[in-house]
Amino acid sequence: VPTKDGFLLSVQRMSSRRFRTSHKEPAFLYHGIMQGGEGWLLDEPKESLAFILADSGYDVWIGNSQGDLIKLKLLESQFGWVKMQEFWDWSWDDLVAFDVPAMLHFVHHMTQQPIYYVGYSQGAMSDFAAFTNNEIASIVKKAAMLSPVAYLNNVPSPLIRTAAFLFLDQVDLLLLHMYEFNPTSPEASQILQAACRNVASNCRDLSSLVTGPTCCVNKSRTAYYDKYRQSTSTKNLAQLAQLLRSGRFGKYDYGFFGNLIKYWRISPPSYDLSAIPERLTFFLAHGGRDKVADPEDVRHAGDELPGEVRILFKPNYDHEDFIHGTSSYVEVYPYLLDFFR
């Protein structure tokens, strides 16, 4: 799927194993940060939301953002370092302005039906912002957000807060010229370990320090999940760090002069959640042990949404339990399906 800023995004369409053709509307699934669309398919079919939706009759479409692993491998075989630097010159705003509209318009064009949307983590964050544009919101019927991120004021992860307030995002961009953040690279590992040593004595389990202590993820599958971790742009991480430091839900801060050039104003504009059409209803599923989508921040976002909001709170769930937890297909997904019905 081509975007207006010159990227090609991969979108997969899933057919049901139970029905010859889908008999319900399209359901579009959008992944979180440092993931690709395959994140919806890494568990047993009975535990994976994409399979569950398809087998329930939905026409399932899986979106991928600009850091898509499949496309990246093709580009790396064709272009050198300079081209790859350009490839990684994007922020979260670009996902909001280009990726989400391109993929949703494509699905709507192919199906001619309103879309049921499912977003996880930054996939939810991108669509909170995108839906403030009525043109995008008008083709979405309902939106279900898992571990939804919007405001980052109360992020409890000590590792994330330390990295943000040490301005490690600016160190990566300005001093190290690290435009791609690959979580498995030696450079990224050194940065994470440096931040970790400021907040913990044991840095072996970085996942728990970042996303929270899981209740339900099968630990024996961790290495398998890690095989599918994907890079993101350092600029994307920098914007998230900016939002954590400022308490805003808004666009990338280019500094005093950069903002004047980019936005014709001193400070970057915010995304106004109250601008989302009232007819668009939301399902927000979040956990009490989530160190990224803090319950207070989720409530903050939910309070600003003008339409109906249905909340599912799981006190023992962390950030990843909603997508990879072995009990989610019993404790979470039936409520999501009921919301769509």
Side-chain angles (χ1 to χ4, degrees), residues 184-225:
T184 62
S185 70
E187 295 84 2
S189 178
Q190 289 176 3
I191 292 169
L192 291 172
Q193 290 293 331
C196 180
R197 284 192 291 270
N198 283 277
V199 297
S201 57
N202 182 1
C203 296
R204 284 177 294 183
D205 188 7
L206 288 175
S207 178
S208 293
L209 290 172
V210 173
T211 62
T214 177
C215 74
C216 315
V217 173
N218 185 342
K219 290 289 189 178
S220 68
R221 297 179 64 82
T222 300
Y224 175 66
Y225 297 142

Side-chain angles (χ1 to χ4, degrees), residues 98-297:
F98 302 113
D99 287 26
V100 173
M103 291 187 289
L104 290 183
H105 278 307
F106 177 79
V107 173
H108 185 254
H109 172 74
M110 293 294 292
T111 63
Q112 295 297 305
Q113 295 186 82
I115 299 165
Y116 288 98
Y117 180 88
V118 182
Y120 166 66
S121 188
Q122 194 177 38
M125 186 180 194
S126 299
D127 294 283
F128 279 136
F131 294 162
T132 61
N133 180 345
N134 188 58
E135 181 188 356
I136 307 303
S138 65
I139 61 176
V140 176
K141 189 168 187 177
K142 290 185 176 182
M145 309 304 205
L146 306 177
S147 302
V149 176
Y151 291 100
L152 297 169
N153 306 34
N154 299 289
V155 168
S157 168
L159 187 58
I160 294 176
R161 298 193 72 85
T162 298
F165 285 102
L166 287 177
F167 288 82
L168 292 183
D169 52 294
Q170 296 302 312
V171 172
D172 295 348
L173 277 173
L174 301 178
L175 300 180
L176 302 180
H177 301 289
M178 185 189 294
Y179 303 99
E180 171 193 1
F181 188 88
N182 180 349
T184 62
S185 70
E187 295 84 2
S189 178
Q190 289 176 3
I191 292 169
L192 291 172
Q193 290 293 331
C196 180
R197 284 192 291 270
N198 283 277
V199 297
S201 57
N202 182 1
C203 296
R204 284 177 294 183
D205 188 7
L206 288 175
S207 178
S208 293
L209 290 172
V210 173
T211 62
T214 177
C215 74
C216 315
V217 173
N218 185 342
K219 290 289 189 178
S220 68
R221 297 179 64 82
T222 300
Y224 175 66
Y225 297 142
D226 287 345
K227 286 172 55 179
Y228 292 92
R229 297 291 181 195
Q230 299 197 12
S231 297
T232 188
S233 75
T234 306
K235 193 174 181 181
N236 183 25
L237 294 178
Q239 184 169 7
L240 298 180
Q242 290 177 358
L243 298 182
L244 191 154
R245 291 191 294 260
S246 68
R248 299 182 303 109
F249 182 60
K251 296 190 175 184
Y252 192 92
D253 190 344
Y254 290 92
F256 182 88
F257 293 107
N259 290 337
L260 286 175
I261 295 171
K262 180 76 174 179
Y263 308 119
W264 292 82
R265 49 186 286 174
I266 295 173
S267 59
S270 295
Y271 293 104
D272 182 8
L273 293 178
S274 67
I276 296 175
E278 187 175 353
R279 62 146 198 92
L280 185 56
T281 58
F282 285 87
F283 171 80
L284 307 182
H286 65 111
R289 303 170 77 179
D290 192 330
K291 290 189 176 182
V292 181
D294 180 78
E296 188 59 36
D297 289 335

Side-chain angles (χ1 to χ4, degrees), residues 80-91:
W81 180 83
V82 174
K83 285 291 184 180
M84 295 312 299
Q85 177 180 333
E86 295 175 10
F87 178 87
W88 291 110
D89 185 22
W90 54 267
S91 69

